[in-house]
Structure formats: C-alpha cells, structure tokens
Amino acid sequence: MISSIISTAFSGMAAQQSRMQAIASNIANADTPGYVRRDVSMVSGPGGGVQAVVREEDSGEGGIDLATELTGMIEAKMGYEANLAVMETGMDMWDMLMSALEPKDRDERWR
C-alpha cells in the first residue's frame, strides 16, 4: 500500500517533468520558423499512476502563445509539488511503520 502511494506520486512527478520540458521547448522555439508545438496529455499508466504522452500539434498561424505556455508551466509546477508532497507523506508513513517494528523485524536499512 505505502509503496504504491510512493510509486504513484513518483510517476506523477515524472509526468509533470515531461510536461515542463515540452513547455520549455515551446517557449524556447516560439520564434523558430516551422516549429511544431508540443502538447502533453496525461494518461493512466498500465500499473497505476500516470504517464505523459507528448505529441506535436500544429500551432496554426498564431504561433506559440506565451501566456498559454506560462500558465501551463505554473500548472505543471503545482502538479509536481503536489505529487512531491504525497511522496514525502508516503515516505514518512514508511518511516513510522519501520520505527514501530521491533529491531529484529526491521530490514537492514533501519538498523
């Protein structure tokens, strides 16, 4: 249970990192002729959690809208931080569980 919480949070952090990389690429190439905007969709992972699917999307005549990209960057940052908080909570729960066990029942990392 605790390991699945940590795993799910980790997958969310990785997905948000992929989203940030795509947005950074969009911003860096906003004035590059022929650049195709990258968009990220979040999908459920096969074993739980989430995965980022990056696809190219024609930005049309208007090019890259920096306001949209910066809003997306803020959303990705908040999503990353939320997943980080969940991961830290899961790790704290694990620590509490390990400290509640008798020393003979703990694995070698907790001795």
Side-chain angles (χ1 to χ4, degrees):
M1 165 96 170
I2 295 172
S3 63
S4 66
I5 292 169
I6 294 169
S7 177
T8 299
F10 182 77
S11 73
M13 290 169 58
Q16 292 299 344
Q17 182 179 9
S18 293
R19 184 177 179 200
M20 287 180 152
Q21 289 171 337
I23 293 169
S25 179
N26 292 341
I27 292 170
N29 290 291
D31 293 330
T32 302
Y35 176 77
V36 179
R37 181 181 182 274
R38 295 182 179 152
D39 188 41
V40 178
S41 299
M42 303 294 174
V43 298
S44 296
V50 67
Q51 292 179 329
V53 176
V54 180
R55 60 183 166 79
E56 292 184 346
E57 161 184 289
D58 187 9
S59 59
E61 295 293 321
I64 304 295
D65 178 32
L66 293 179
T68 299
E69 300 301 331
L70 292 175
T71 301
M73 185 68 79
I74 292 167
E75 290 172 357
K77 177 184 179 280
M78 292 173 68
Y80 185 93
E81 290 172 346
N83 282 288
L84 178 61
V86 170
M87 178 178 268
E88 288 173 342
T89 301
M91 292 170 73
D92 289 345
M93 291 169 62
W94 182 258
D95 287 342
M96 291 167 122
L97 176 63
M98 289 291 108
S99 67
L101 294 175
E102 293 293 325
K104 65 179 179 58
D105 296 327
R106 298 179 193 168
D107 76 22
E108 61 278 351
R109 294 176 296 169
W110 303 97
R111 294 181 191 196

